[in-house]
Amino acid sequence: MSKQKSISVKSLIKKFNFEVLCKGSSRNKILIPSLNRTGVELASKHIVFENIISAVLWSGNESKFLSQLTKKKMLESMDNVLRLKPPVIIITKAFKQTDQLLRLAKKYSTTIIFSAMPSAQLYVTVAQWINEQMAEYTTIHGTLVSVYGVGVLLQGESGVGKSEVALELVRKGHLFIADDAVDVTNLADRLYGRPNAIANKFIEVRGLGILNIPRMLGIEKTQDSSIIDVVIELMLDDKKTLQFERLGDHLKTKGLEKVQVPYYKLPITPGRKMSDLIETAVIDLKLKQHGYSSAKDYMDNYKKVNRKNV
């Protein structure tokens, strides 16, 4: 039987640098990947609920509901939630009953934290992070970098030069995420990648060995995780057996974890600067996703010129 995944409240606070208003039990853990707005729990009196094991978010809507109650009913309503022992309650500027909440939080050893983010942004950002942390991951071979904000998974046979290309890209200002072992997961049909715990922040370059990217190039050159927007496979150019794209009129895809991801196959030959080609591939991907095709433009121009010469 697999161990249930959890996130400590401490790690949530550290990740988003939340302000702690009330420090609850150090054993508090988030066990469900969601943010609970506790609408039913706040409004109901007679329904028996189980303990809340997800993070709770209270903002303007909850505050407005509580403000319509008498002081006694308001305290009873908040008590209905806190007695269910939620691991943490996140409140925003729009929540106006902070003093009353803090008094109850001390009674139940509930952690209360404050965020200056708007509730909509907070809901998306925090919920996504919690989902990423608690998802089931598969480890695949590859190198993950962020190029112009696009998550690029470099694949290819061992020794083809993925790490060296990634190092070039990072030195040009792009961001390093993972090398060799990339943990990937499918969240709502989008593929997310992060470094495997063992290889986190390290890259292996043949002839140099293991290098620590944040120590050598700065922590600002790294990123914790990314959506995998494109897979680029690097292959040695064997003209006898391999066929590479000539026109590029169609955007190819590759299936990973039941997600179809845009896919490019690039040959490695002497004199080619692969980091430049990967940057170009990312720009080409963005153009294609916005409806522009260089190949179609070329063919239209070709036909136009031919008509003039007839």
Side-chain angles (χ1 to χ4, degrees), residues 114-261:
F114 171 79
S115 172
M117 280 191 281
S119 60
Q121 180 186 351
L122 186 66
Y123 191 89
V124 171
T125 304
V126 175
Q128 178 177 308
W129 182 79
I130 292 174
N131 270 279
E132 286 183 35
Q133 301 309 301
M134 299 186 72
E136 293 293 332
Y137 281 82
T138 301
T139 302
I140 63 174
H141 183 64
T143 298
L144 184 59
V145 289
S146 176
V147 179
Y148 301 133
V150 173
V152 179
L153 178 65
L154 301 176
Q155 291 196 309
E157 293 182 2
S158 181
V160 79
K162 300 182 295 296
S163 300
E164 289 80 356
V165 172
L167 190 58
E168 278 184 31
L169 287 164
V170 174
R171 294 188 71 88
K172 293 176 74 171
H174 304 294
L175 300 178
F176 173 79
I177 300 166
D179 181 52
D180 189 44
V182 182
D183 288 349
V184 299
T185 188
N186 178 347
L187 293 176
D189 289 329
R190 300 197 79 177
L191 200 64
Y192 289 79
R194 68 182 187 187
N196 184 267
I198 295 175
N200 189 15
K201 308 305 182 191
F202 293 96
I203 189 169
E204 180 184 357
V205 177
R206 290 173 181 261
L208 293 177
I210 305 295
L211 304 177
N212 185 313
I213 292 295
R215 287 293 184 93
M216 293 189 68
L217 301 177
I219 191 69
E220 70 277 5
K221 297 288 188 180
T222 66
Q223 186 170 299
D224 292 335
S225 63
S226 172
I227 296 173
I228 297 176
D229 298 292
V230 60
V231 175
I232 297 180
E233 187 170 3
L234 306 181
M235 307 184 75
L236 295 174
D237 188 2
D238 184 347
K239 296 178 181 176
K240 296 179 181 178
T241 59
L242 296 180
Q243 295 294 320
F244 294 98
E245 188 66 47
R246 296 295 301 272
L247 279 178
D249 50 340
H250 296 294
L251 184 59
K252 294 181 172 58
T253 62
K254 180 176 183 176
L256 283 175
E257 296 298 303
K258 300 181 180 179
V259 179
Q260 290 298 317
V261 184

Side-chain angles (χ1 to χ4, degrees), residues 35-55:
L35 274 181
N36 190 345
R37 299 303 294 261
T38 64
V40 176
E41 291 89 341
L42 274 174
S44 301
K45 299 178 182 177
H46 307 297
I47 301 175
V48 178
F49 296 100
E50 295 182 354
N51 284 358
I52 297 172
I53 54 178
S54 61

